PDB file of all heavy atoms in Angstrom:
ATOM      1  N   THR A 160      -4.643  -5.005  -7.155  1.00 90.00           N
ATOM      2  CA  THR A 160      -5.725  -5.920  -6.793  1.00 90.00           C
ATOM      3  C   THR A 160      -7.095  -5.271  -6.998  1.00 90.00           C
ATOM      4  O   THR A 160      -8.009  -5.905  -7.544  1.00 90.00           O
ATOM      5  CB  THR A 160      -5.553  -6.352  -5.324  1.00 90.00           C
ATOM      6  OG1 THR A 160      -4.295  -6.992  -5.171  1.00 90.00           O
ATOM      7  CG2 THR A 160      -6.658  -7.297  -4.919  1.00 90.00           C
ATOM      8  N   ALA A 161      -7.240  -4.028  -6.551  1.00 90.00           N
ATOM      9  CA  ALA A 161      -8.533  -3.370  -6.648  1.00 90.00           C
ATOM     10  C   ALA A 161      -8.959  -3.144  -8.086  1.00 90.00           C
ATOM     11  O   ALA A 161     -10.142  -3.311  -8.430  1.00 90.00           O
ATOM     12  CB  ALA A 161      -8.471  -2.020  -5.903  1.00 90.00           C
ATOM     13  N   ASN A 162      -8.019  -2.789  -8.943  1.00 90.00           N
ATOM     14  CA  ASN A 162      -8.370  -2.569 -10.341  1.00 90.00           C
ATOM     15  C   ASN A 162      -8.783  -3.860 -11.030  1.00 90.00           C
ATOM     16  O   ASN A 162      -9.710  -3.858 -11.852  1.00 90.00           O
ATOM     17  CB  ASN A 162      -7.178  -1.951 -11.087  1.00 90.00           C
ATOM     18  CG  ASN A 162      -7.088  -0.453 -10.906  1.00 90.00           C
ATOM     19  OD1 ASN A 162      -7.788   0.310 -11.546  1.00 90.00           O
ATOM     20  ND2 ASN A 162      -6.242  -0.031  -9.978  1.00 90.00           N
ATOM     21  N   MET A 163      -8.113  -4.975 -10.694  1.00 89.00           N
ATOM     22  CA  MET A 163      -8.485  -6.243 -11.322  1.00 89.00           C
ATOM     23  C   MET A 163      -9.830  -6.744 -10.785  1.00 89.00           C
ATOM     24  O   MET A 163     -10.661  -7.261 -11.537  1.00 89.00           O
ATOM     25  CB  MET A 163      -7.401  -7.285 -11.074  1.00 89.00           C
ATOM     26  CG  MET A 163      -6.062  -6.935 -11.680  1.00 89.00           C
ATOM     27  SD  MET A 163      -6.141  -6.407 -13.400  1.00 89.00           S
ATOM     28  CE  MET A 163      -6.749  -7.881 -14.170  1.00 89.00           C
ATOM     29  N   ILE A 164     -10.076  -6.559  -9.496  1.00 88.00           N
ATOM     30  CA  ILE A 164     -11.338  -7.011  -8.911  1.00 88.00           C
ATOM     31  C   ILE A 164     -12.504  -6.191  -9.440  1.00 88.00           C
ATOM     32  O   ILE A 164     -13.570  -6.741  -9.767  1.00 88.00           O
ATOM     33  CB  ILE A 164     -11.268  -6.924  -7.365  1.00 88.00           C
ATOM     34  CG1 ILE A 164     -10.403  -8.049  -6.812  1.00 88.00           C
ATOM     35  CG2 ILE A 164     -12.660  -7.010  -6.745  1.00 88.00           C
ATOM     36  CD1 ILE A 164     -10.252  -8.026  -5.317  1.00 88.00           C
ATOM     37  N   ALA A 165     -12.332  -4.877  -9.561  1.00 87.00           N
ATOM     38  CA  ALA A 165     -13.418  -3.990  -9.995  1.00 87.00           C
ATOM     39  C   ALA A 165     -13.908  -4.368 -11.388  1.00 87.00           C
ATOM     40  O   ALA A 165     -15.116  -4.485 -11.639  1.00 87.00           O
ATOM     41  CB  ALA A 165     -12.965  -2.550  -9.944  1.00 87.00           C
ATOM     42  N   GLY A 166     -12.981  -4.568 -12.312  1.00 85.00           N
ATOM     43  CA  GLY A 166     -13.374  -4.907 -13.682  1.00 85.00           C
ATOM     44  C   GLY A 166     -14.044  -6.273 -13.770  1.00 85.00           C
ATOM     45  O   GLY A 166     -15.059  -6.424 -14.462  1.00 85.00           O
ATOM     46  N   HIS A 167     -13.506  -7.254 -13.047  1.00 83.00           N
ATOM     47  CA  HIS A 167     -14.092  -8.594 -13.094  1.00 83.00           C
ATOM     48  C   HIS A 167     -15.483  -8.617 -12.448  1.00 83.00           C
ATOM     49  O   HIS A 167     -16.387  -9.311 -12.939  1.00 83.00           O
ATOM     50  CB  HIS A 167     -13.182  -9.577 -12.381  1.00 83.00           C
ATOM     51  CG  HIS A 167     -11.968  -9.969 -13.187  1.00 83.00           C
ATOM     52  ND1 HIS A 167     -11.016  -9.064 -13.554  1.00 83.00           N
ATOM     53  CD2 HIS A 167     -11.570 -11.158 -13.711  1.00 83.00           C
ATOM     54  CE1 HIS A 167     -10.076  -9.671 -14.264  1.00 83.00           C
ATOM     55  NE2 HIS A 167     -10.394 -10.943 -14.365  1.00 83.00           N
ATOM     56  N   LEU A 168     -15.649  -7.879 -11.360  1.00 84.00           N
ATOM     57  CA  LEU A 168     -16.959  -7.824 -10.720  1.00 84.00           C
ATOM     58  C   LEU A 168     -18.004  -7.166 -11.617  1.00 84.00           C
ATOM     59  O   LEU A 168     -19.151  -7.619 -11.689  1.00 84.00           O
ATOM     60  CB  LEU A 168     -16.874  -7.058  -9.397  1.00 84.00           C
ATOM     61  CG  LEU A 168     -16.348  -7.820  -8.186  1.00 84.00           C
ATOM     62  CD1 LEU A 168     -16.353  -6.916  -6.967  1.00 84.00           C
ATOM     63  CD2 LEU A 168     -17.190  -9.054  -7.919  1.00 84.00           C
ATOM     64  N   LEU A 169     -17.604  -6.128 -12.335  1.00 85.00           N
ATOM     65  CA  LEU A 169     -18.539  -5.454 -13.239  1.00 85.00           C
ATOM     66  C   LEU A 169     -18.949  -6.381 -14.376  1.00 85.00           C
ATOM     67  O   LEU A 169     -20.136  -6.453 -14.749  1.00 85.00           O
ATOM     68  CB  LEU A 169     -17.890  -4.176 -13.790  1.00 85.00           C
ATOM     69  CG  LEU A 169     -18.798  -3.177 -14.506  1.00 85.00           C
ATOM     70  CD1 LEU A 169     -19.972  -2.786 -13.616  1.00 85.00           C
ATOM     71  CD2 LEU A 169     -18.030  -1.954 -14.928  1.00 85.00           C
ATOM     72  N   LEU A 170     -17.992  -7.111 -14.934  1.00 83.00           N
ATOM     73  CA  LEU A 170     -18.312  -8.076 -15.990  1.00 83.00           C
ATOM     74  C   LEU A 170     -19.220  -9.186 -15.466  1.00 83.00           C
ATOM     75  O   LEU A 170     -20.152  -9.617 -16.158  1.00 83.00           O
ATOM     76  CB  LEU A 170     -17.014  -8.685 -16.548  1.00 83.00           C
ATOM     77  CG  LEU A 170     -16.150  -7.765 -17.424  1.00 83.00           C
ATOM     78  CD1 LEU A 170     -14.795  -8.404 -17.688  1.00 83.00           C
ATOM     79  CD2 LEU A 170     -16.846  -7.476 -18.737  1.00 83.00           C
ATOM     80  N   THR A 171     -18.965  -9.635 -14.224  1.00 81.00           N
ATOM     81  CA  THR A 171     -19.794 -10.699 -13.645  1.00 81.00           C
ATOM     82  C   THR A 171     -21.209 -10.206 -13.362  1.00 81.00           C
ATOM     83  O   THR A 171     -22.186 -10.927 -13.621  1.00 81.00           O
ATOM     84  CB  THR A 171     -19.146 -11.200 -12.342  1.00 81.00           C
ATOM     85  OG1 THR A 171     -17.813 -11.606 -12.613  1.00 81.00           O
ATOM     86  CG2 THR A 171     -19.916 -12.379 -11.770  1.00 81.00           C
ATOM     87  N   LEU A 172     -21.341  -8.997 -12.841  1.00 81.00           N
ATOM     88  CA  LEU A 172     -22.662  -8.450 -12.544  1.00 81.00           C
ATOM     89  C   LEU A 172     -23.507  -8.301 -13.806  1.00 81.00           C
ATOM     90  O   LEU A 172     -24.688  -8.646 -13.832  1.00 81.00           O
ATOM     91  CB  LEU A 172     -22.515  -7.085 -11.840  1.00 81.00           C
ATOM     92  CG  LEU A 172     -22.174  -7.104 -10.361  1.00 81.00           C
ATOM     93  CD1 LEU A 172     -21.848  -5.703  -9.881  1.00 81.00           C
ATOM     94  CD2 LEU A 172     -23.332  -7.674  -9.561  1.00 81.00           C
ATOM     95  N   LEU A 173     -22.885  -7.788 -14.878  1.00 82.00           N
ATOM     96  CA  LEU A 173     -23.623  -7.645 -16.127  1.00 82.00           C
ATOM     97  C   LEU A 173     -23.930  -8.997 -16.743  1.00 82.00           C
ATOM     98  O   LEU A 173     -25.018  -9.199 -17.305  1.00 82.00           O
ATOM     99  CB  LEU A 173     -22.804  -6.791 -17.111  1.00 82.00           C
ATOM    100  CG  LEU A 173     -22.704  -5.292 -16.789  1.00 82.00           C
ATOM    101  CD1 LEU A 173     -21.811  -4.602 -17.798  1.00 82.00           C
ATOM    102  CD2 LEU A 173     -24.068  -4.637 -16.782  1.00 82.00           C
ATOM    103  N   GLY A 174     -23.005  -9.931 -16.652  1.00 78.00           N
ATOM    104  CA  GLY A 174     -23.230 -11.248 -17.235  1.00 78.00           C
ATOM    105  C   GLY A 174     -24.342 -12.034 -16.542  1.00 78.00           C
ATOM    106  O   GLY A 174     -25.050 -12.809 -17.195  1.00 78.00           O
TER     107      GLY A 174
END
Side-chain angles (χ1 to χ4, degrees):
T160 301
N162 278 280
M163 298 311 297
I164 286 179
H167 284 63
L168 279 181
L169 193 55
L170 288 169
T171 305
L172 281 171
L173 289 177

